[in-house]
Amino acid sequence: MSDAIKLEKVILAVLVRNEPGVLSRVTGLFTRRGYNIHSLAVGPTEDIRVSRITIVIEEAEERLEQVEKQLHKLVDVLKIVNLTNAQRVERELALIQVNGEKRSDILQIVDIFRAKIVDVSPREVMVEVTGDTEKIDALIQMLDGYGISEIVRTGKIALARSNQ
Amino acid sequence: MAKTGAEVLVSTLKDLDVEYVFGYPGGAVLPIYDALYGSSLKHILTRHEQGAAHAADGYARASGKVGVVIATSGPGATNLVTGLANAYMDSVPMVAITGQVQSGLIGKDSFQEADVFGITMPITKHNYLIKDENKIEAILKEAFYIASTGRPGPVLVDITKDALMNYVSKSGSKQRLELQGYRVLKEGHPRQIAIARKLIKEANKPLIYAGGGAQDASKLLLKLAENFNIPVTTTLMGIGAFPGNHELNLGMLGMHGTPWANLAVQNCDLLIAIGARFDDRVTGALNKFAEKAKIVHIDIDAAEIGKNVPAYVPIVGDANTVLTELIDDTRLSHKDWILEIQNFEFPAQTAKEPKRGDCVNCTEPNMHFAELPPPCRQKDSVDPKVVLELASSLFKNQLIVATDVGQNQMWAAQYIKIEKPRSFITSGGLGTMGYGLPAAIGAQLGRPKEQVVLVTGDGSIQMNIQELATIAAYNIPVKVVLLNNRVLGMVRQWQTIFYNGRYSQTCTGSIPDFCALANAYSIPSLRVKGLDDLDEFKVALKAEGPYFIEVAVDPDESVWPMVAPGASLCEMFHASKAPTPSWQRGQNDE
Ligand SMILES: Cc1ncc(C[n+]2csc(CCOP(=O)(O)OP(=O)(O)O)c2C)c(N)n1
């Protein structure tokens, strides 16, 4: 794709029937039609028959409508909520394994970010952080100087705030 | 009495009014075949699962009912893949039932195991894997519903052998969420319809562009065109949705469309698309397509609207429902516009024509048939349009045509005039060589009172030639018209135009002797080598049972006009070689 095309980041909450293969259907659709997935998180909902897939996609603006329409054609897709412009709470979770030599420095940073130390070993500490993408990016950047050995991040989840 | 999953499957098919199933047995579907034994459900045993899939597809297209195909696990099911992809591209309602290995053996690379559910996901409208016999009935009904409603399409149901063998318990409750996510919008938005109506009345140069989605709305399409005097162009899939000989029919548009249709698209000020999807073979260069027009796009699939071309007025809905609302009693005349179209000046653009006898690879010494006379040089041949126009008029345009893919397909589309919907059975979206013969079988069974004529090529027919056995075994009265140019004509034509006549691997030669082969299948045959044979040709077409007619065609015969891929529809090669338009044809062709 040429650089000239401006990509928009969009958050979609896709409610699907909790049937075998449904995640393959959704991701397969994205691959087949050449849409870019930025992140994806799946889990059960308040109704055991329904799962919720939160997808962050990066697409040229004029293709976004197509993405939603194509998703709607999947029989297992029950509902799509575009949360991009909604009042919402969004969270990601990350676990970061970082060199623990300068433990007090790290503790301070962890404190500022309201993160947590969840495991300690003689050489490393594991940090758990939740928040939006920017916050996690910022923490990772801060810890980078101390020597990060491993990172795992979930996809983003998001929920619209209820109306006043 | 308790029933097995397989018995429930067969009785459910009967409940769903299925008359024919096409299929091929094997280990995993033995329980189904046992349940079929002695059942009143008619099973057609094809000679290849691909044949069964295309036959079910042809049956569905011709009859409007859901086509059903059965295949065994592993290779049986993978043989359906082309047939499913083909039906998916052309929106054909089909239900494929495949056997799967026992549920306990899944995932262990068991004998004849293939992940058919995974393989067919992107080429079906929906698919299922059933491991629980108690779900068979409900899912099968759901599959038929999904296949046949909204924008139709193939649905695959993969069932494990144990689910087929186990006894279904009465209390088998279904812990499933109903089809909440599957909505079919029938009614178009009233405001959009009102805008469309207003635009139609204001337009000076309106044009209707009808696709496969207009096949079941042919009556209203005719009314729309006649009331408002709007010329109509159909896509390959739309042939028959509007009468072929109607004065307002400009013929097909697109790559091998008529100059009148293509130039009308480029000059209209309002384009009314009905059940059409702006495929690249239709539009040519997208950014130049219908440049001067506002587009009204009517389609039952919301995702089609705006997919390739932005719609000025989007209308999501069923063509019949929308057209009922759209048409009123106003009469319009677009005499000037229609005259303008009929008198279009064609740009004189000529393409490279093949140099006769230039086919290099038939003289290659290593060709196994080198001792035979050069296959491209036939002494006698017949112009394919003469043969096709004759067939068309012999049946007073009331025939059903199935085609294969290539030049034979385009010539059939250009020279046979189809008057009725669902009567031009062709692989449009996927362009599947080998589709024609089995599809003709299905179409003939779906419309037994009418005559199905297959127009095919020597390359295509050999991709499913084994189905001659099916024709013979069930005495299906299909008439095969093989336009034998001894080359892969359409590819060769591209080599002539775009590859300097370097005929790489497009010569199929004089093998086999098709008429002898047909006879070997106990089907009578006729070879048409010249105009003298045309009387016999007519007799063969009117024969009672099946007939195999081989027509000798010159390998250098080309399909014209042609718009090069990616070019604008105005840029046609050999526009002057187009078929005679409806308004210049005698009203009573024979
Ligand atoms: C399964 C498949 N393989 C390859 C092609 C590419 N292809 C398109 S037309 C054509 C030639 C068809 O030859 P034939 O059936 O003899 O018909 P003709 O064009 O000569 O009428 C080929 C190879 C195709 N459409 N389908």
Side-chain angles (χ1 to χ4, degrees), chain A residues 17 19-21 24-25 32-33 47-50 65-66 69-70 72-79, chain B residues 88 117 121-122 125-127 142 146 151 176-183 301-303 305-307:
Chain A
R17 286 208 288 191
E19 294 276 329
S24 292
R25 283 186 208 284
R32 183 159 66 95
R33 302 247 175 216
D47 181 342
I48 52 155
R49 299 168 306 174
V50 178
E65 195 181 318
Q66 258 299 302
K69 282 176 168 177
Q70 292 295 348
H72 262 304
K73 280 172 70 171
L74 297 178
V75 172
D76 284 336
V77 169
L78 302 170
K79 193 176 170 194
Chain B
Y88 188 51
F117 181 63
M121 213 173 253
K125 186 172 173 186
H126 194 55
N127 66 0
E142 196 173 291
I146 291 173
R151 179 180 183 169
R176 295 166 49 77
L177 198 57
E178 287 318 312
L179 284 172
Q180 281 176 15
Y182 182 73
R183 280 161 300 247
D301 180 355
I305 293 173
K307 185 181 81 180

Side-chain angles (χ1 to χ4, degrees), chain A residues 17 19-20 25 75-76, chain B residues 8-9 12-13 16 94-97 117 126-147 155-160 163 172-179:
Chain A
R17 286 208 288 191
E19 294 276 329
R25 283 186 208 284
V75 172
D76 284 336
Chain B
V8 166
L9 183 141
T12 308
L13 290 177
L16 288 162
M94 228 168 95
V95 169
I97 297 162
F117 181 63
H126 194 55
N127 66 0
Y128 300 87
L129 168 60
I130 307 182
K131 299 181 196 169
D132 174 358
E133 56 278 5
N134 295 312
K135 289 184 177 165
I136 291 175
E137 180 176 351
I139 288 185
L140 212 55
K141 287 182 175 164
E142 196 173 291
F144 269 70
Y145 176 70
I146 291 173
V155 177
L156 178 129
V157 184
D158 197 28
I159 314 176
T160 59
S173 75
K174 5 175 225 155
Q175 259 282 332
R176 295 166 49 77
L177 198 57
E178 287 318 312
L179 284 172

Side-chain angles (χ1 to χ4, degrees), chain B residues 50 82 404-409 411 430-434 456-463 482-492 506 508 559:
Chain B
Q50 187 188 353
T82 305
D404 254 302
V405 170
Q407 294 180 316
N408 61 83
Q409 178 183 36
W411 285 325
L430 201 65
T432 312
M433 286 172 70
T456 179
D458 54 302
S460 295
I461 198 169
Q462 291 187 74
M463 288 213 178
L482 165 64
L483 302 177
N484 188 359
N485 51 9
R486 305 179 176 194
V487 289
L488 301 175
M490 185 56 94
V491 178
R492 188 176 192 273
T506 43
T508 42
V559 180

Side-chain angles (χ1 to χ4, degrees), chain B residues 313-336:
Chain B
V313 186
I315 305 178
V316 181
D318 177 87
N320 272 316
T321 323
V322 173
L323 291 184
T324 308
E325 293 301 314
L326 187 64
I327 302 168
D328 61 17
D329 288 331
T330 319
R331 298 291 163 140
L332 304 171
S333 154
H334 294 104
K335 220 192 269 159
D336 293 347

